[in-house]
Amino acid sequence: MGIYFLLLIVGFCWGQYNPNTVSGTTSIVHLFEWRWADVALECERYLAPNGFGGVQISPPNENVIVTDPWQPWWERYQPVSYKLCSRSGNETEFRDMVARCNNVGVHIYVDAVINHMCGASAGAGDHATCGSYFDANTEDFPAVPYSGLDFNDRKCKSRSGDIEDYQDVSQVRDCRLVSLLDLALEKDDVRSKVAEYLNRLIGIGVAGFRLDAAKHMWPGDLKAVLDKLKDLNTTWFPAGTKPFIYQEVIDLGGEPIQCSQYFGNGRVTEFKYGAKLGTVLRKWDGEKMAYLKNWGEGWGFVPADRALVFVDNHDNQRGHGAGGASILTFWDARLYKMAVGFMLAHPYGFPRIMSSFHWSRYFVNGKDVNDWMGPPSESDGSIKPVTINADTTCGNGWVCEHRWRQISPSPTGGTTAATRWRSAEAIKASSSSTTTSGS
Ligand code: AAO
């Protein structure tokens, strides 16, 4: 009884490492830039019947509308408020998506942009997705509300106010990431505003969060926010379930900020995974498949029960973020299928599958000058629906890697490496090595 009670307590405390996916499902898919209406349909018609555990969605909150370049995908990483309207849909559509996906056992994971608001050069006015007024020059965001006092300007010690040196921990966490106005998460007021946003999403029924730019927030500040979070909605989750937390920390080595500093808060994104797997499959640096024998911690990765793994993400598939040239994407279809198949088959970490849209890549001096291009859209700027072709692939410019035969975790009537080798038990075992019963 005593031991059982202790295990229960430990399991309860460590809940943020558990993906909260329904039993038997072992991965989530990032439906990058999809409309809420399409995510809901995809949960019902494809993800649930094919064994997907959940969906990472693009940031649902109000953001700046950028017009130069024209509505880039990255405008969604420039918040104006925590109102739930974005290019993907409004609050009614968001609630409908969460309920419909949960009802078929597919959970929703929100990309939470809480490190900053919009870029310093965003100006002033109402060019935001819900029409809220803001003034980036005076750091005034009345729709939250945040004012100048809620930002880190006085703490930042770099000359420009931006992060200039990734070797300087304080700069990375107190200065502006590419000029994005950096929130003062040391203030209880700011923590409460952020927690209020996340709690609203929890109330609606989401299962967890990707914490964008976690590396740029002090782990202790993040913990203070997470401590304010409610348990998940009992309409779909057992009482006492904590939100799943995975933090975007880019740690390829060589910088003082390391993934391990964030283990206390939840899982972390293991960027070495995709970078190394790409190197092996491309046979660069004399690498061979045989060397994957000790894939995982043996390669210097974080412990399995702290890792969120992926072959590519929305940044490094187009040269943003980190990972470098070895990263495999849908553009290298054959090797990509092998990489994702391997990831799904291997028990290390909790996997996230990428699902992308096409854009016109155009390289000038090795750089894709069209890396900004947003999702397929109509002339009025609205995102195009995801259409489904007769052969079950997607149309209208959507790539839908998650529907590729070799990738889909459990295609009806088919077998993949994933269904043969990767079992819910393996994930649970990896989660329970230090988290007790995978709670
Ligand atoms: C846009 C414009 C900017 C403009 C800004 C404000 O592009 O010119 O100043 O608006 O007006 C996304 C886009 C950004 C966009 C932003 C806001 O990617 O282009 O800026 O939305 O609209 C760092 C962060 C990481 C971040 C990544 C992109 O640590 O958190 O940069 N990712 C997330 C999101 C991302 C989003 C944001 C954060 C912001 O996933 O979509 O940005 O919300 C090193 C560091 C990394 C650092 C990279 C950045 O990486 O270690 O921490 O990532 O540099 O370049 C080797 C090294 C590796 C190194 C890498 C690159 O691989 O081993 O460590 O080289 O040097």
Side-chain angles (χ1 to χ4, degrees), residues 32 66 72-79 111 113 115-122 162-163 166 172 177-181 210-216 248-255 271 313-315 318-325 371-372:
F32 179 46
V66 174
W73 61 269
W74 44 254
E75 69 176 22
R76 299 187 67 169
Y77 291 88
Q78 300 201 30
D111 196 347
V113 185
N115 169 64
H116 52 261
M117 298 301 276
C118 63
S121 61
D162 288 352
I163 299 165
Y166 271 89
V172 177
L177 167 64
V178 292
S179 99
L180 299 160
L181 303 176
R210 167 191 185 263
L211 299 184
D212 179 69
K215 177 178 184 174
H216 303 278
E248 191 223 5
V249 181
I250 296 177
D251 174 9
L252 291 168
E255 287 180 28
F271 274 81
N313 78 350
H314 70 281
D315 283 331
R318 47 174 52 70
H320 284 237
D371 65 345
W372 59 271

Side-chain angles (χ1 to χ4, degrees), residues 183-367:
L183 283 167
L185 275 167
E186 67 179 9
K187 289 185 64 181
D188 190 56
D189 221 34
V190 175
R191 292 172 178 173
S192 296
K193 296 270 169 44
V194 169
E196 196 184 307
Y197 165 48
L198 303 184
N199 276 331
R200 196 146 50 84
L201 296 169
I202 288 174
I204 292 172
V206 310
F209 303 102
R210 167 191 185 263
L211 299 184
D212 179 69
K215 177 178 184 174
H216 303 278
M217 297 179 270
W218 294 91
D221 288 344
L222 275 180
K223 182 174 185 311
V225 171
L226 298 177
D227 283 347
K228 291 177 186 279
L229 298 190
K230 300 189 296 196
D231 294 338
L232 298 187
N233 187 322
T234 51
T235 309
W236 295 289
F237 302 93
T241 309
K242 299 265 172 234
F244 177 43
I245 301 295
Y246 53 106
Q247 305 159 93
E248 191 223 5
V249 181
I250 296 177
D251 174 9
L252 291 168
E255 287 180 28
I257 297 184
Q258 293 168 2
C259 283
S260 57
Q261 295 156 9
Y262 290 82
F263 290 169
N265 294 332
R267 292 195 185 225
V268 291
T269 48
E270 178 49 279
F271 274 81
K272 290 177 187 154
Y273 191 100
K276 293 285 184 197
L277 193 54
T279 308
V280 173
L281 285 168
R282 291 178 191 276
K283 301 185 186 157
W284 286 358
D285 302 344
E287 295 284 8
K288 294 182 182 157
M289 289 293 276
Y291 298 163
L292 297 174
K293 201 165 58 177
N294 64 340
W295 185 243
E297 290 94 338
W299 280 62
F301 301 167
V302 302
D305 59 358
R306 292 295 175 271
L308 186 289
V309 298
F310 45 96
V311 173
D312 60 332
N313 78 350
H314 70 281
D315 283 331
N316 64 17
Q317 69 169 199
R318 47 174 52 70
H320 284 237
S326 71
I327 297 297
L328 290 167
T329 69
F330 69 88
W331 298 102
D332 313 283
R334 196 178 72 86
L335 290 180
Y336 189 68
K337 290 170 190 169
M338 289 167 67
V340 180
F342 175 81
M343 172 179 77
L344 294 172
H346 195 282
Y348 172 83
F350 185 75
R352 177 185 61 196
I353 298 167
M354 181 68 205
S355 189
S356 321
F357 56 78
H358 278 284
W359 74 98
S360 327
R361 281 202 305 184
Y362 188 68
F363 288 97
V364 177
N365 297 329
K367 186 191 177 318

Side-chain angles (χ1 to χ4, degrees), residues 106-137:
V106 180
H107 298 319
I108 299 293
Y109 302 83
V110 168
D111 196 347
V113 185
I114 58 173
N115 169 64
H116 52 261
M117 298 301 276
C118 63
S121 61
D126 58 1
H127 48 288
T129 47
C130 314
S132 297
Y133 175 83
F134 68 97
D135 187 345
N137 309 312

